[in-house]
Amino acid sequence: MREALARLRATYGAGPRHLLVLLLCFVVTGWVALRVAGEATAGRMLLWFIGAVVLHDLLLFPVYALVDRVLRAAVGVPARPAAPDPRPSHARRVPVRLALLNHVRLPALGAGLLFLVYLPGVLGWGADTYRAATARERIPFLGRWLAVTGILFLISAVVFLLRWLRRRAVQRRPGPPG
Amino acid sequence: MPASDPATGEGADPTGDYGAPRRLWRTLDRHRPPGVEAVTTGWRSPLRGPWLTSVYGLALLVTLPLVIVTGLLDYAAYSPQFGQAFPFDVGWLRLPHFDWPTRPAWLFQLTQGLHVGLGIVIVPVVLGKLWSVIPKLFDWPPARSVAQVLERLSLLLLVGGILFQIATGLLNIQYAYVFGFDFYTAHYFGAWVFTAALVAHVVLKLPRMVTALRSRPAGAELRTGRAETRPEPPDPDGLVPARPDPPTVSRRGAIALVGGGSLLLAALTVGQSVDGPLRRMAWLLPRGQDPGEGPNGFQINRSAAAAGIRPADTGSGWRLTLRGGGRTTTLDRPGLLAMAQHTARLPIACVEGWSTTQTWTGVRLRDLAALAGVPDPVAAHVESLERNGLFRRATLQANQVLDPDSLLALRVNGADLSLDHGSPARIIVPALPGVHCTKWVASIDFRTDA
């Protein structure tokens, strides 16, 4: 028994539970595939299934990672500083540029998220189905999305400004008598 | 964490020896395509590592079962025993048959609101989780054994499954049927592919998640600021980058970012399930829009125009036909108004996640059953004046006919039903999916045999 398990591990590359649980997963998937294969639109479903992964992994991720790198370069936050800061952490001043970077990142990510999730409404897709379902005309929410985006950036900017003012006030205060 | 650590469970060992056929995996390993080096050493975030991945994973482990179960319950709410849930034929991929209850009256409002609401709220968590593990996608060699090939294939089902479910769900609730296939079929079977892959993933990775979460006490981690944030020690999965940058946010910040995204989506979604001024908070969703004024000023699901209802069909010539026990009874609207009227405050909830609670007045369905000569029906089949559409007819269970608040409604909020709300008469039953609350009712067939 033990020998058989060792042989499974050596050839297959993992234990019996690994094999069993994955086989179960593929049995369900296979059963679904057989059932759906009869549909005229089965090919489109497969395309959307694989396409969703490709769009996320090979388009969305590279794009937002690249935008972030460009943003970092634009704001002036170096990826790798020349030398580590020798001062103890409490004495280290949080670089203003880094704070600025994050105060741009945060509303940008929020706006991007809202755009992705509410995409059909923002772009006004499906006007006919919308009319049939609601008895009203679909008005694209692009303006609303831009307004929310503006509000997010505004809040972020105000918080950034307040932090910056407070930091300056703290720095100008004379240190404790020594 | 050594690769042979029993705490890592039986996951395929990512760093150990090759499985069979060894020559294939070794050759693959040696022939590294150009650019692989740059990619694998190019990961920079010092936050990536088993702990952060496990935090996002834990959040999904708690919420996804709720989304899955409420989804299955919503299928059950359509009474699949009558062959009226879509997709039609699902074999054994469903909950066991049971009579969907009528109490509490907000049951479907809750299950479907949770399904859609949670489904939206977890989007940032899913994106965060995928961000945290994306280096794995570019691993070289892609596998060292058959076990790893199979596991990667199951991950394709897992990631494809969740993205497919999110995309089709979001498009459906916003009426954008750009995918060109049947939503019900795709979303239902997609859910099973995803669930199977999720179960496999949890069985294989749960021990690793527990180990990772224990490796850094959450309390201490949440008190650690950006400047003190250090990369996790190198892990066998290779999530921790070889050459990390200094941090630009803390792990606490990364968690707050994802949580904040979820809160933002929750704030902009919850409005579609509440009445009153808060409804306008669903500012970017179809069901947060102004539905008009007056007693009939609430959301509809299908307009009379879209359903092909002509004013002539619903005027004074309209008759309700009741069938039961071989007898046929016909009633006109004054006849129905002359019967005992009952008023109930009931929610009407759509499978798209939105709902609204209104005050309905009309004749109890059980009174109509008695009038038809079938006081104790096992089911009632309701047909609409609609000429086409998936939901121009619906079969009600016995409990749904006999509930004291189940109505053939003639009025809402003290006024006659408007044409878009189903005038001259519509069904309203506690906890019944909105599309089964048939509008423009033409006939009801009370049945004594299933």
Side-chain angles (χ1 to χ4, degrees):
Chain A
M1 183 65 191
R2 180 166 293 185
E3 203 178 304
L5 279 180
R7 200 153 358 119
L8 177 72
R9 231 168 232 294
T11 41
Y12 172 63
R17 189 171 57 154
H18 187 276
L19 183 60
L20 187 75
V21 79
L22 285 182
L23 283 183
L24 251 151
C25 163
F26 295 132
V27 164
V28 173
T29 305
W31 194 89
V32 165
L34 281 179
R35 191 135 292 229
V36 173
E39 301 270 331
T41 51
R44 289 188 78 109
M45 289 187 207
L46 184 67
L47 186 72
W48 273 69
F49 195 97
I50 304 293
V53 182
V54 172
L55 274 183
H56 174 270
D57 290 359
L58 302 180
L59 187 69
L60 181 65
F61 170 74
V63 164
Y64 75 68
L66 187 70
V67 168
D68 191 59
R69 288 197 180 184
V70 170
L71 184 67
R72 268 174 90 139
V75 174
V77 176
R80 297 174 205 279
D85 196 329
R87 286 171 294 174
S89 61
H90 59 84
R92 232 177 276 156
R93 204 161 58 81
V94 180
V96 174
R97 281 162 190 268
L98 187 53
L100 179 63
L101 171 70
N102 284 334
H103 277 272
V104 176
R105 272 172 166 179
L106 201 73
L109 279 170
L113 179 70
L114 295 183
F115 184 78
L116 272 185
V117 169
Y118 302 114
L119 183 70
V122 170
L123 298 184
W125 291 356
D128 291 341
T129 25
Y130 184 90
R131 189 185 311 111
T134 63
R136 313 209 144 230
E137 291 304 319
R138 170 156 244 167
I139 306 149
F141 294 152
L142 188 63
R144 294 187 181 190
W145 175 74
L146 286 173
V148 177
T149 302
I151 292 168
L152 288 175
F153 272 97
L154 189 69
I155 294 172
S156 186
V158 168
V159 173
F160 174 75
L161 202 67
L162 288 177
R163 281 181 161 179
W164 185 71
L165 287 174
R166 200 176 60 186
R167 188 174 302 136
R168 257 193 15 169
V170 169
Q171 279 163 12
R172 280 188 182 167
R173 205 178 296 154
Chain B
M1 191 164 61
S4 58
D5 187 343
T8 59
E10 302 199 22
D13 180 354
T15 53
D17 295 334
Y18 307 108
R22 285 182 174 68
R23 246 170 91 188
L24 170 70
W25 306 123
R26 201 173 299 127
T27 313
L28 201 62
D29 199 351
R30 283 190 191 143
H31 290 81
R32 302 171 79 79
V36 148
E37 234 40 69
V39 170
T40 44
T41 58
W43 304 107
R44 302 207 240 179
S45 174
L47 302 190
R48 279 206 185 92
W51 187 82
L52 190 64
T53 294
S54 298
V55 169
Y56 293 148
L58 181 65
L60 291 173
L61 186 60
V62 173
T63 45
L64 280 173
L66 265 172
V67 180
I68 292 169
V69 169
T70 49
L72 288 173
L73 283 175
D74 294 331
Y75 184 79
Y78 281 82
S79 306
Q81 64 269 33
F82 298 134
Q84 57 183 358
F86 301 103
F88 194 63
D89 183 12
V90 298
W92 37 266
L93 289 182
R94 56 167 175 78
L95 297 179
H97 281 321
F98 65 96
D99 270 359
W100 184 251
T102 56
R103 299 288 154 179
W106 40 261
L107 183 63
F108 187 71
Q109 184 180 30
L110 177 75
T111 57
Q112 194 51 32
L114 268 181
H115 181 73
V116 173
L118 266 183
I120 292 176
V121 163
I122 62 168
V123 169
V125 192
V126 171
L127 293 177
K129 176 82 160 62
L130 290 178
W131 170 83
S132 80
V133 294
I134 200 124
K136 297 290 295 164
L137 181 69
F138 300 94
D139 262 356
W140 198 268
R144 288 184 165 87
S145 64
V146 176
Q148 287 183 8
V149 173
L150 292 186
E151 197 171 326
R152 300 209 94 175
L153 206 57
S154 79
L155 289 176
L156 175 69
L157 299 176
L158 184 76
V159 177
I162 190 71
L163 295 175
F164 184 79
Q165 291 304 92
I166 288 175
T168 50
L170 284 175
L171 289 169
N172 177 59
I173 66 159
Q174 295 174 84
Y175 305 108
Y177 296 98
V178 289
F179 34 72
F181 45 74
D182 178 53
F183 168 74
Y184 301 103
T185 307
H187 202 67
Y188 192 84
F189 287 123
W192 279 103
V193 171
F194 170 67
T195 305
L198 179 67
V199 168
H201 189 62
V202 170
V203 168
L204 297 179
K205 293 293 188 188
L206 191 68
R208 192 156 283 185
M209 186 188 89
V210 172
T211 314
L213 287 175
R214 284 195 181 140
S215 71
R216 308 173 84 83
E221 198 59 56
L222 294 180
R223 282 190 300 275
T224 305
R226 181 198 58 83
E228 286 74 34
T229 298
R230 300 282 172 269
E232 293 183 53
D235 63 317
D237 286 316
L239 293 175
V240 179
R243 296 166 58 223
D245 279 354
T248 56
V249 282
S250 59
R251 285 192 187 81
R252 172 179 68 188
I255 293 168
L257 177 70
V258 166
S262 289
L263 281 179
L264 180 65
L265 290 177
L268 287 170
T269 302
V270 72
Q272 67 169 352
S273 299
V274 296
D275 291 303
L278 283 182
R279 188 162 203 108
R280 300 302 294 271
M281 280 178 70
W283 208 44
L284 297 172
L285 278 172
R287 300 312 180 157
Q289 311 316 308
D290 179 17
E293 295 297 309
N296 277 283
F298 59 97
Q299 285 71 22
I300 65 157
N301 180 54
R302 186 161 155 87
S303 71
I309 303 296
R310 292 169 307 198
D313 302 332
T314 59
S316 55
W318 174 81
R319 296 288 180 277
L320 172 71
T321 309
L322 302 177
R323 289 188 206 92
R327 249 173 47 193
T328 299
T329 316
T330 346
L331 282 164
D332 57 6
R333 204 178 138 89
L336 282 166
L337 284 167
M339 292 178 68
Q341 302 289 304
H342 178 72
T343 297
R345 192 159 171 77
L346 293 175
I348 185 158
C350 182
V351 75
E352 288 146 15
W354 60 272
S355 53
T356 175
T357 303
Q358 306 295 335
T359 305
W360 313 85
T361 304
V363 182
R364 281 184 166 127
L365 288 180
R366 63 183 190 194
D367 292 351
L368 291 174
L371 185 71
V374 188
D376 210 9
V378 296
H381 184 72
V382 184
E383 294 228 10
S384 169
L385 292 169
E386 285 178 73
R387 282 173 185 79
N388 50 45
L390 280 178
F391 299 106
R392 69 182 185 280
R393 56 172 74 108
T395 305
L396 305 176
Q397 305 158 181
N399 63 329
Q400 290 166 342
V401 179
L402 299 175
D403 189 283
D405 280 347
S406 293
L407 301 176
L408 180 72
L410 306 166
R411 298 164 66 77
V412 66
N413 302 319
D416 285 345
L417 285 172
S418 70
L419 191 59
D420 277 338
H421 280 302
S423 172
R426 74 168 303 165
I427 301 287
I428 181 88
V429 168
L432 185 68
V435 283
H436 277 185
C437 294
T438 308
K439 298 198 281 191
W440 314 290
V441 173
S443 68
I444 308 176
D445 187 358
F446 294 99
R447 296 176 174 173
T448 48
D449 54 340

